[in-house]
Amino acid sequence: MIAHIQGRLVEKTATEVVIDCGGVGYLIHISLHTFSQIGSSENLRLYTYLQIKEDGHTLFGFIDKIERELFKLLISVSGIGGNTARNMLSSIAPKELLQAIASADVKTIQSVKGIGAKTAQRVILDLQEKVIKLYNIDEVSPVINNTNADEALSALEVLGFVRKSAEKVVDKIMKQTPDASVEFIIKQALKNL
């Protein structure tokens, strides 16, 4: 397997790059996440995965190892090929996708074009345990869908609190007082953090 390619960036589009490495131009398929991380530097290193199928060889490139490992996990799920996995990584940032899988957030995974409810559930069923073990996600952060809670969490992060522990406290406050103001949430959280 080709683990990585480093060389001069010759061509870049939203879906692929060409890297000149020792006089050979490698066409590498990338996600939008990787595309957004590639700067204007001429020298580029991408971690790669070579997918070999009956009808051809396709080289996929990733800006970091986490994205590549997540890609490999995704293509291990029945019904998800290389292009679908790349679309998933283009639509959802790798860390958000890991969190969605770990917390069984079907809606987030289903928000990817071409992913239905059954496929999203299959991804969670097949990968949830692996993701939690591999990436040491010991406790899944609660998903808070409240503007006041989100603003309070942002303020707590600015104050230097770790998001994961702040989310737990804010979630507890929101369960007790669903219509709490931002100020109330912050004051209560500061007492409990």
Side-chain angles (χ1 to χ4, degrees):
M1 181 175 142
I2 302 170
H4 76 268
I5 291 183
Q6 183 170 341
R8 187 172 60 86
L9 180 63
V10 178
E11 205 176 301
K12 175 174 114 173
T13 68
T15 57
E16 56 194 32
V17 292
V18 175
I19 297 179
D20 183 319
C21 183
V24 177
Y26 291 92
L27 175 69
I28 304 170
H29 298 271
I30 60 172
S31 67
L32 287 175
H33 172 74
T34 294
F35 175 77
S36 67
Q37 301 292 316
I38 296 173
S40 57
S41 170
E42 274 200 19
N43 193 28
L44 176 65
R45 171 191 284 210
L46 289 180
Y47 296 95
T48 57
Y49 177 80
L50 179 62
Q51 186 177 47
I52 300 172
K53 291 169 50 176
E54 290 176 15
D55 58 344
H57 296 34
T58 308
L59 193 59
F60 292 93
F62 311 95
I63 200 72
D64 54 35
K65 289 182 180 178
I66 290 177
E67 188 181 14
R68 179 180 65 186
E69 296 311 309
L70 185 51
F71 176 85
K72 286 161 63 174
L73 284 173
L74 288 170
I75 62 173
S76 73
V77 176
S78 175
I80 296 184
N83 285 327
T84 304
R86 181 175 64 161
N87 286 346
M88 291 177 79
L89 292 166
S90 292
S91 301
I92 307 170
K95 289 182 180 174
E96 290 174 33
L97 186 54
L98 285 171
Q99 191 65 38
I101 293 168
S103 63
D105 185 356
V106 175
K107 276 188 178 178
T108 299
I109 297 169
Q110 200 177 340
S111 69
V112 177
K113 185 180 178 191
I115 300 291
K118 285 185 180 179
T119 305
Q121 289 167 347
R122 193 176 318 119
V123 166
I124 291 167
L125 185 67
D126 289 0
L127 302 181
Q128 189 174 33
E129 269 187 47
K130 292 177 187 175
V131 163
I132 290 171
K133 284 180 186 174
L134 283 173
Y135 297 98
N136 295 325
I137 301 173
D138 48 350
E139 280 189 44
V140 179
S141 299
V143 179
I144 301 172
N145 292 323
N146 183 306
T147 308
N148 289 350
D150 290 339
E151 287 181 31
L153 276 172
S154 296
L156 291 167
E157 275 187 296
V158 169
L159 292 172
F161 292 98
V162 178
R163 183 165 182 95
K164 200 177 242 186
S165 57
E167 281 179 341
K168 290 177 194 172
V169 172
V170 170
D171 186 51
K172 201 179 289 182
I173 294 165
M174 293 306 295
K175 283 179 183 170
Q176 293 169 354
T177 319
D179 58 342
S181 69
V182 177
E183 294 80 16
F184 178 82
I185 296 168
I186 292 171
K187 285 179 185 175
Q188 293 300 312
L190 289 173
K191 290 178 186 175
N192 295 307
L193 284 170

